[in-house]
Amino acid sequence: MPPHATDTHATGAPVIRDDPRHPLYLGNWKRSSKTDVQHFVHDDFEEPHRKRQKAILAKHPEVRDLYGNEPLTAVIGLAVTAIQLAVAYAVGCVWTDMHWAAIVAIAYAVGGTISALFGVIIHEAGHNLVFKRPLFNRLTGMMVNLPMVVPISQSFRRYHLEHHQFQGVEGMDPDLPLDSEIKLIHNNPLLKTLWVFCYSIMYVARGAAMNKQPQRWEFVNLWAMLLVDALILRFWSVRSLAYLAVSVFFGYGMHPGAAHFIQEHYIFRDGQETYSYYGSGNIFYLNIGLHNEHHDFPQIPWTRIWKLRQIATEFYDPLFAHTSWVYVIYNFITSPMLGPQSRLVRMYKAHLSGRKEYRVPLDDNAASATKEKPSLSAHGGKNVKSKMH
């Protein structure tokens, strides 16, 4: 529980205090300094993003003008879907004498790169950031799901929104690794390499472990994918379907475009549970790296999220951020301090009490609420010295 969370007024009502994490909402918890730890780091406050959003809006109300939709996302999705299906057709029906090694190389360089982008577009659609009507967003997600062999878009939408609602809450955040992942993988470099390769499988396993009944749209997604897969097998070839399947395996695994799965919430610094990436990969992958910004304002589409970063720079400059997705993967695999256990968790009770009993200070004078942050530089990441103005 947060400190003093049980204090009450004489009337019995809980005392409402200013959140001591204001304005950056970094925690006082620390990563474990031992390499043999096989459990998550625990916090007694709720996730930082809802309150940081309020703090930013109090100082920069113009951020609300960035809310909205970006239909261009659907155009990009249609284009890359057509490209991926065209390559699948060529592999299965035109380049029939191509060596399997060349097909695997194409599946990684082309198919994996595009499949990772499919995931980004599914993410945007899952937040209803493509069109105003939720139906059109669902259809956009299902469209880019067509070349991915397995139904992903509607289950991702469901569980990802739960991740935002219950970030880090044990038993409720489907993004958290399973206990079995921690026990099996821990900090073994070879097993972590295998874990990264098979991350798509782990992601599905975590959703299945929630043991929830599929919803209507998940069934629609399933039947649509069964139909598309059957049509590919009937009119193209097994090679075409295999190419698409291997592409997804690469695009959600050992690929720079999939490094954001590790970048986003695995702990690289004390007190910070969410991380952004400010590198060139954001150009192709629709700014998916700006994850602190996204969690603070999931109402802002990818074409405007950098504007948020520019407006509220005093809130984001002090935070550690990655600059290389390749190094994120390398560091995760080789560092004995990193593994599936390198995540922050909280009890549901702490999640609730932090929101109810601690508030964003009403007299939001950020200039007097923080001190200059020390520079924490590392290969693949950065901190920028900044004062709150």
Side-chain angles (χ1 to χ4, degrees), residues 31-71:
R31 299 178 297 164
S32 174
S33 60
K34 300 179 180 179
T35 60
D36 59 346
V37 172
Q38 297 193 28
H39 56 75
F40 297 124
V41 180
H42 282 75
D43 189 21
D44 291 327
F45 277 92
E46 88 280 25
E47 52 82 22
H49 302 290
R50 178 175 293 193
K51 287 181 179 175
R52 190 159 62 213
Q53 180 192 84
K54 292 181 178 179
I56 291 174
L57 287 175
K59 188 173 183 183
H60 301 288
E62 68 273 21
V63 165
R64 290 189 177 88
D65 295 336
L66 303 178
Y67 296 180
N69 309 95
E70 183 49 81

Side-chain angles (χ1 to χ4, degrees), residues 131-203:
F131 298 106
K132 291 182 179 180
R133 292 185 60 183
L135 172 62
F136 293 164
N137 286 279
R138 288 187 181 274
L139 294 177
T140 299
M142 290 180 62
M143 174 186 69
V144 299
N145 195 169
L146 295 180
M148 300 180 74
V149 181
V150 294
I152 293 175
S153 68
Q154 299 309 301
S155 293
F156 176 86
R157 176 190 177 100
R158 175 186 185 183
Y159 290 114
H160 183 70
L161 294 180
E162 291 182 3
H163 161 63
H164 273 261
Q165 184 177 2
F166 302 112
Q167 179 180 321
V169 178
E170 288 189 283
M172 303 182 74
D173 182 355
D175 191 62
L176 291 171
L178 303 173
D179 290 340
S180 57
E181 294 178 60
I182 297 175
K183 294 177 181 178
L184 178 63
I185 307 301
H186 193 215
N187 61 5
N188 184 296
L190 292 178
L191 293 178
K192 285 193 287 185
T193 301
L194 179 63
W195 182 84
V196 173
F197 264 110
C198 299
Y199 195 82
S200 58
I201 300 173
M202 297 296 100
Y203 214 75

Side-chain angles (χ1 to χ4, degrees), residues 58-363:
K59 188 173 183 183
H60 301 288
E62 68 273 21
V63 165
R64 290 189 177 88
D65 295 336
L66 303 178
Y67 296 180
N69 309 95
E70 183 49 81
L72 175 63
T73 311
V75 177
I76 296 173
L78 178 61
V80 291
T81 297
I83 292 172
Q84 180 72 331
L85 288 174
V87 176
Y89 174 79
V91 166
C93 304
V94 180
W95 305 328
T96 55
D97 296 328
M98 180 177 289
H99 193 275
W100 66 267
I103 295 176
V104 171
I106 294 173
Y108 185 88
V110 179
T113 301
I114 291 177
S115 293
L117 180 57
F118 287 153
V120 175
I121 295 171
I122 288 172
H123 172 264
E124 290 287 303
H127 283 284
N128 292 329
L129 294 176
V130 184
F131 298 106
K132 291 182 179 180
R133 292 185 60 183
L135 172 62
F136 293 164
N137 286 279
R138 288 187 181 274
L139 294 177
T140 299
M142 290 180 62
M143 174 186 69
V144 299
N145 195 169
L146 295 180
M148 300 180 74
V149 181
V150 294
I152 293 175
S153 68
Q154 299 309 301
S155 293
F156 176 86
R157 176 190 177 100
R158 175 186 185 183
Y159 290 114
H160 183 70
L161 294 180
E162 291 182 3
H163 161 63
H164 273 261
Q165 184 177 2
F166 302 112
Q167 179 180 321
V169 178
E170 288 189 283
M172 303 182 74
D173 182 355
D175 191 62
L176 291 171
L178 303 173
D179 290 340
S180 57
E181 294 178 60
I182 297 175
K183 294 177 181 178
L184 178 63
I185 307 301
H186 193 215
N187 61 5
N188 184 296
L190 292 178
L191 293 178
K192 285 193 287 185
T193 301
L194 179 63
W195 182 84
V196 173
F197 264 110
C198 299
Y199 195 82
S200 58
I201 300 173
M202 297 296 100
Y203 214 75
V204 172
R206 293 172 195 172
M210 302 298 288
N211 199 28
K212 295 184 177 182
Q213 291 294 323
Q215 296 177 342
R216 180 185 62 178
W217 275 101
E218 291 177 279
F219 282 116
V220 172
N221 196 181
L222 171 63
W223 285 109
M225 292 309 304
L226 289 174
L227 175 61
V228 170
D229 292 349
L231 291 173
I232 291 174
L233 288 174
R234 173 66 178 83
F235 295 103
W236 292 359
S237 72
V238 174
R239 282 162 59 99
S240 295
L241 194 66
Y243 162 80
L244 294 175
V246 174
S247 295
V248 173
F249 180 77
F250 284 145
Y252 274 69
M254 187 65 75
H255 193 286
H260 65 89
F261 292 121
I262 298 173
Q263 158 233 310
E264 293 166 351
H265 295 294
Y266 286 86
I267 299 172
F268 292 85
R269 289 295 184 273
D270 295 339
Q272 185 174 333
E273 64 177 295
T274 304
Y275 300 82
S276 289
Y277 156 80
Y278 303 135
S280 59
N282 283 315
I283 298 173
F284 184 79
Y285 288 110
L286 312 187
N287 292 326
I288 191 65
L290 277 71
H291 205 63
N292 261 306
E293 294 83 350
H294 167 66
H295 264 271
D296 289 350
F297 290 92
Q299 312 94 323
I300 299 178
W302 65 274
T303 49
R304 302 171 211 160
I305 199 73
W306 264 112
K307 184 64 175 178
L308 165 66
R309 176 70 176 79
Q310 294 166 353
I311 291 173
T313 182
E314 71 273 27
F315 287 89
Y316 296 117
D317 275 355
L319 304 181
F320 177 82
H322 298 282
T323 56
S324 170
W325 272 335
V326 173
Y327 184 73
V328 166
I329 297 175
Y330 172 81
N331 190 24
F332 181 84
I333 291 174
T334 60
S335 173
M337 305 305 298
L338 293 170
Q341 71 280 359
S342 303
R343 292 289 296 266
L344 186 75
V345 297
R346 52 184 54 86
M347 300 288 289
Y348 182 59
K349 190 175 183 180
H351 170 77
L352 292 178
S353 65
R355 291 185 173 182
K356 292 179 179 178
E357 300 175 23
Y358 288 86
R359 66 190 172 198
V360 176
L362 298 179
D363 52 342

